[in-house]
Amino acid sequence: MSVIKKVTCHVVSAPIARPFTSSRGWLYKTRGSCIVEIETQDGTIGWGECYGPSQVARSFIETQFAPRIIGRDAFDVEVIWEDLYNRIKDYGAKGMAIAAMSGIDIALWDIIGKTCGKPVHKLIGGAFRDTVTAYATGLYFIDMDRLVEEAVEEALEYKHGGFSAIKMKIGLGSPKLDLARVEAVRKAIGDDIRLMVDANHCFTVPAAIRLGRELEKLDVEWFEEPISPEDLDGYVQVTQALDMAVAGGENEYTRWGFRDIVSRKAMDIIQPDICAAGGFSECRKIAALATAHGVECVPHAWGSVIGVAATLHFIAALPDQPPSFRPMPPLFEFEQCENPFRDHLATEPIVLHNGSVSVPTKPGLGIDIDRSVLAKYAV
Ligand code: CA
């Protein structure tokens, strides 16, 4: 038994030097997170992370979830998941309630791994790969007078830093400007670097299809969130109309949310976020559903080193999609915007090496948390 003794939420926030935005229009001036710490009676500590507004996640955990898991065995992780979900689903079947559960689930898997002396990926089926090819997420909108130039400069930094794949933001209110910007980046990085675009769901169906056809000519590999996530019929239309892959799902939750996307083949690629969609326990089920419907699973990642490590274990245990002599394995989203919690929260940062990132091999999530960073940025 690994009896859960204490649940602590660390809400952290750090200012960033160069605020940026996407098509959503909100300005990122800080980076923050709700980091979940769970301690067992034998003194084992597990770490998890919740995606989204951190005070809301903390509130869900402190008022709804923590009292229900104290005294239970961390190894009953899926029993706990089902119990928490059934407690919350009448008013929280999607969104922050599930993000809060995700942080708990990840922390419990960290405890199980540390108790067994095995990395999480060994507990969820094993590693199909020791390293994961990473793509750089960046190329947000920062200087509105230099949108094309800044994108080119940033893309070249990633290329020279060793990335073989880059994802850029689009959705500047002018498809012509979007196209000019993608064109300039493609020209600068050359044909050998994989390039994806992310619209953060700012287009209508006809606008997305029209722009998508032009992006295909620039060898853009996937079109992420072309349209609003609620419009599943629209996703079916865009996905069928375009040759390029259509991706989405970072704002979808649980197997029930993803069931409707994959069974209708509304997207070619689903992107569950392990810190949002339900943690390891649920994302494994989501990935299995996707496989059954011939849909690729390439997780979304946007968080601290805890979310990064969890995502790497999850990807390590995903089969090639599909298996082949020289498969194209799922990519790891290595977001590159300023974030001290990604770069400094672990005593040893997770870094890019030859375009790839190593899957952690130490027990649990395989990272050690520097508590001074939690203290420095505590809210
Ligand atoms: Ca995205």
Side-chain angles (χ1 to χ4, degrees), residues 167 169 198 200 224 250 300:
K167 187 171 81 188
K169 295 290 173 182
D198 184 357
N200 293 93
E224 181 167 322
E250 68 184 69
H300 173 260

Side-chain angles (χ1 to χ4, degrees), residues 54-283:
S54 42
Q55 304 275 19
V56 182
R58 168 156 75 184
S59 179
F60 265 112
I61 291 173
E62 288 181 351
T63 65
Q64 305 300 312
F65 297 147
R68 290 184 81 82
I69 68 170
I70 305 282
R72 299 177 72 165
D73 184 356
F75 279 76
D76 287 336
V77 57
E78 296 206 20
V79 180
I80 289 171
W81 197 100
E82 296 291 333
D83 178 56
L84 298 184
Y85 181 73
N86 281 304
R87 177 66 189 82
I88 210 78
K89 73 177 183 181
D90 285 15
Y91 40 84
K94 291 192 181 195
M96 287 309 298
I98 307 300
M101 282 178 54
S102 304
I104 290 175
D105 186 83
I106 293 166
L108 293 180
W109 279 102
D110 191 23
I111 288 171
I112 294 170
K114 283 169 175 162
T115 305
C116 297
K118 297 280 184 193
V120 171
H121 63 263
K122 290 286 185 191
L123 306 168
I124 59 172
F128 286 89
R129 52 197 74 81
D130 304 325
T131 62
V132 182
T133 305
Y135 74 83
T137 285
L139 284 74
Y140 283 75
F141 314 140
I142 303 171
D143 182 345
M144 298 305 153
D145 299 324
R146 298 184 69 251
L147 286 165
V148 175
E149 295 88 334
E150 73 180 8
V152 166
E153 289 159 10
E154 193 180 333
L156 286 174
E157 271 175 43
Y158 297 141
K159 180 182 176 177
H160 297 142
F163 279 103
S164 62
I166 297 169
K167 187 171 81 188
M168 64 185 293
K169 295 290 173 182
I170 60 170
L172 286 162
S174 154
K176 278 202 174 114
L177 178 54
D178 280 326
L179 210 51
R181 198 161 163 273
V182 179
E183 238 165 349
V185 167
R186 170 52 86 199
K187 197 167 165 226
I189 60 177
D191 294 336
D192 292 337
I193 302 288
R194 297 163 73 178
L195 182 63
M196 293 79 84
V197 299
D198 184 357
N200 293 93
H201 52 76
C202 72
F203 293 112
T204 61
V205 169
I209 293 172
R210 201 167 160 191
L211 179 58
R213 287 191 182 129
E214 296 302 314
L215 294 168
E216 283 171 348
K217 295 177 192 162
L218 298 169
D219 196 19
V220 172
E221 191 166 319
W222 80 55
F223 192 165
E224 181 167 322
E225 295 209 282
I227 63 166
S228 200
E230 303 90 347
D231 183 9
L232 218 49
D233 290 331
Y235 267 97
V236 173
Q237 280 180 277
V238 177
T239 297
Q240 288 183 351
L242 295 178
D243 293 331
M244 73 199 304
V246 170
E250 68 184 69
N251 29 39
E252 193 50 85
Y253 301 84
T254 77
R255 77 198 82 151
W256 299 285
F258 281 93
R259 171 191 58 197
D260 301 330
I261 296 175
V262 299
S263 64
R264 297 187 60 194
K265 287 209 161 203
M267 298 166 190
D268 301 289
I269 298 168
I270 54 162
Q271 301 172 299
D273 189 309
I274 195 158
C275 300
F280 284 107
S281 300
E282 196 63 9
C283 285

